[in-house]
Amino acid sequence: MWHNFKRWFYQMGTPVYFFKKSRLWIIWSGVLGAILMLVGVIWGLGFAPADYQQGNSFRIIYIHVPAASLAMSAYVLLAIWGVIFLVWRIKMVDVLAEATIPAGAVLTLIALVTGSIWGIPTWGTAWAADARILSMAFLLFLYIGIYLLRSQVRPFSKAQRLASLLAMIGVINIPIIKYSVEWVSTLHQGATFSLSEKPKMPPSMYLPLIFCILGSYCLLFSWILKQAQRLALQREVGKQWVNEWLQQH
Amino acid sequence: MIESDWQLALRREVLLVRRQMGSWINGVCFFVLIGFVYQLLLGSGLELSSQLSISLIWVLALMSIMLVAEHWIKPDITSGYYDSWLGQGRSLHVLMVVKMLIQWLVNGGILALIVPLLAFQLGLEVRLVPWLMLSIFLGSLACMCFCGFGAVITAGQSQSGVLLSIVVVPLNLPPLIFGIGLVIAQAEDFNHVPILAVLIAISLLAIALLPFAMSFGAKIVNE
């Protein structure tokens, strides 16, 4: 069992195997994610009851909550890639990290924009000096900083390791974002879900949200693998397996 | 007698601080100068809220640290000092710890001592001034560790200042939040003890962990 896992781990670490083996993962997790997301969004937008205080505007949580939680998860993922890359120097892990950065940045942006749109009818303002909003904005700049570091430092092998190190250190901001709604009195409401408590919404409202969250995780997984495939192909240009693949397509 | 890593690092850093006064005077002057600029622009008779002047002074302190952070690391890398340090089989981590502590005591200490001047310029209540000094003194250790880390990872480039600021500001969020929070808790008569404890904890964690990351980063940049 352990032996098999180790073999699988090392095989996935080489671009050739990764490129071949990840195809099915991309398709199936993409299909599953799309179905879950579609069900969640249609259910949430069309059939879930309106909130007694916020009316229909609350429905943006079916996009906002998945985007925000994914943005933070993607950062933690990036930090984990960083640790693995610094310790084992696996080529493929850095490719995955490079694929994660833009995805995370865009998700952070989506969370900020949907939050602002929701804020206009609900708080009466699109942007407030609020701990949660601002710490999310800092997360965006953290992603941008890591991206800039990767693209500006030369040689590239140094940039990879320095960016991994920065991603690792930057993880201190994740608890700040997560608990900013509890530490400081803010406009932003508390966590929608928690593992230890029953949700404060009826099932007809939170079930679609769970569908959306699970679906978006699957879609992110599929997207990162797809981008990693593309980047692996780019980096390995000139190798034999790339030439063979190019001839077939 | 061969000096231990700690002794040698301590002797070197103290010498550096004494001989290269320019590097930290630069940051301190910036701190005071921008204070004067604000006083000039705001004119007299205008009262800033204490929250505004506290955060202004804190951000200026952070910026002045950011400004000089480059001088801590870059000369060592370009002159190949880390190579010779590592070549003697010495621990780069020890050098980084000592460097940060010395810079903190000198640079952070002077920033904290100058705070009353800025507080006076910006019209901060007198009873808050000692608390602001304390919070800048304690928080600047964490700020310096994060800025030092940023300086290490951007040291390989010719124009590292711009990248340094983008990389470093998000990292400095925790000391900034709790440093300002401590003084505001005083201003509004909240319980300040937990905030003080968290601020000290952040600084201790930073000086305990960041030097490892700095020495690791310096080795990468140095290759």
Side-chain angles (χ1 to χ4, degrees):
Chain A
M1 173 67 193
W2 174 241
H3 183 73
N4 281 343
F5 174 75
K6 244 166 79 175
R7 201 178 62 188
W8 172 82
F9 187 74
Y10 283 117
Q11 282 183 347
M12 286 308 260
T14 51
V16 193
Y17 275 96
F18 177 86
F19 195 83
K20 286 175 186 159
K21 296 269 165 69
S22 60
R23 214 181 121 250
L24 283 177
W25 283 97
I26 292 173
I27 295 171
W28 286 110
S29 122
V31 168
L32 181 67
I35 293 172
L36 285 172
M37 199 70 195
L38 215 59
V39 170
V41 168
I42 291 175
W43 188 358
L45 296 187
F47 301 101
D51 189 78
Y52 79 100
Q53 267 183 329
Q54 302 175 5
N56 278 323
S57 69
F58 96 96
R59 290 179 204 278
I60 205 159
I61 64 165
Y62 297 115
I63 303 296
H64 178 73
V65 172
S69 79
L70 270 185
M72 285 191 271
S73 306
Y75 193 85
V76 176
L77 189 66
L78 191 60
I80 294 172
W81 295 141
V83 175
I84 297 178
F85 183 72
L86 287 176
V87 176
W88 287 288
R89 303 266 183 100
I90 299 172
K91 245 193 261 175
M92 217 38 231
V93 169
D94 183 66
V95 174
L96 286 166
E98 193 173 337
T100 311
I101 296 168
V106 169
L107 284 164
T108 314
L109 201 60
I110 292 175
L112 282 171
V113 170
T114 51
S116 303
I117 294 172
W118 176 83
I120 293 169
T122 318
W123 294 346
T125 169
W127 191 267
D130 177 89
R132 180 52 86 68
I133 301 177
L134 291 175
S135 53
M136 274 310 263
F138 279 112
L139 184 66
L140 180 62
F141 282 98
L142 209 51
Y143 276 121
I144 293 174
I146 294 171
Y147 176 79
L148 288 178
L149 195 69
R150 286 185 78 91
S151 60
Q152 289 183 9
V153 174
R154 288 290 173 270
F156 189 57
S157 63
K158 273 186 195 177
Q160 291 173 326
R161 278 180 289 158
L162 291 176
S164 304
L165 197 60
L166 177 59
M168 245 170 76
I169 299 296
V171 96
I172 49 158
N173 268 18
I174 295 296
I176 298 263
I177 301 172
K178 176 75 188 145
Y179 294 106
S180 58
V181 282
E182 287 163 33
W183 288 343
V184 200
S185 60
T186 68
L187 276 174
H188 198 284
Q189 60 204 42
T192 312
F193 287 123
S194 119
L195 287 176
S196 55
E197 283 169 45
K198 261 187 82 179
K200 298 177 200 89
M201 295 189 286
S204 55
M205 278 164 86
Y206 74 71
L207 279 178
L209 184 54
I210 289 177
F211 271 88
C212 282
I213 292 176
L214 292 179
S216 56
Y217 270 89
C218 290
L219 283 181
L220 179 71
F221 181 64
S222 166
W223 169 261
I224 288 177
L225 288 184
K226 184 76 200 161
Q227 291 303 310
Q229 266 200 343
R230 181 178 65 78
L231 289 167
L233 210 57
Q234 245 174 26
R235 285 197 196 176
E236 300 275 297
V237 161
K239 296 259 172 77
Q240 202 188 347
W241 70 271
V242 178
N243 290 340
E244 282 170 12
W245 185 84
L246 284 175
Q247 275 165 10
Q248 284 165 15
H249 291 79
Chain B
M1 195 192 88
I2 301 169
E3 282 179 303
S4 74
D5 293 3
W6 293 97
Q7 285 170 326
L8 185 60
L10 190 65
R11 203 159 58 89
R12 173 176 191 260
E13 292 304 323
V14 171
L15 264 180
L16 268 184
V17 167
R18 278 172 54 194
R19 289 190 184 157
Q20 302 186 342
M21 302 245 276
S23 72
W24 54 266
I25 286 180
N26 199 337
V28 169
C29 285
F30 173 82
F31 191 51
V32 180
L33 188 67
I34 303 294
F36 279 122
V37 168
Y38 264 100
Q39 202 182 15
L40 179 74
L41 295 179
L42 294 171
S44 59
L46 185 68
E47 286 214 358
L48 290 181
S49 74
S50 55
Q51 191 161 359
L52 184 60
S53 40
I54 291 164
S55 22
L56 202 60
I57 293 172
W58 242 104
V59 170
L60 284 180
L62 173 63
M63 282 166 78
S64 75
I65 293 171
M66 244 162 57
L67 197 68
V68 293
E70 217 179 327
H71 296 287
W72 302 338
I73 309 291
K74 214 167 186 176
D76 289 357
I77 286 180
T78 46
S79 69
Y81 186 76
Y82 294 152
D83 278 332
S84 68
W85 182 268
L86 289 167
Q88 295 168 31
R90 294 183 185 276
S91 156
L92 198 51
H93 167 242
V94 169
L95 181 62
M96 292 299 182
V97 172
V98 172
K99 189 186 271 292
M100 286 300 108
L101 284 176
I102 296 286
Q103 290 297 339
W104 171 55
L105 287 174
V106 175
N107 209 336
I110 291 176
L111 286 184
L113 287 178
I114 291 179
V115 161
L117 179 63
L118 264 90
F120 173 69
Q121 288 173 343
L122 296 172
L124 189 66
E125 273 179 80
V126 178
R127 72 182 174 96
L128 297 179
V129 173
W131 287 98
L132 186 57
M133 289 170 72
L134 182 71
S135 95
I136 284 193
F137 185 61
L138 293 176
S140 62
L141 177 57
C143 288
M144 283 182 183
C145 290
F146 288 125
C147 291
F149 173 70
V152 166
I153 61 173
T154 56
Q157 286 164 283
S158 52
Q159 295 287 322
S160 56
V162 183
L163 190 56
L164 177 73
S165 58
I166 293 178
V167 165
V168 152
V169 173
L171 293 180
N172 272 307
L173 207 49
L176 214 56
I177 289 176
F178 288 97
I180 294 171
L182 173 65
V183 191
I184 288 176
Q186 271 302 314
E188 298 180 0
D189 291 325
F190 293 155
N191 184 8
H192 64 273
V193 178
I195 305 181
L196 183 63
V198 173
L199 184 63
I200 294 174
I202 290 171
S203 281
L204 288 179
L205 266 180
I207 189 67
L209 299 178
L210 262 295
F212 284 108
M214 287 173 68
S215 63
F216 192 71
K219 280 179 199 160
I220 296 172
V221 174
N222 217 12
E223 271 169 19

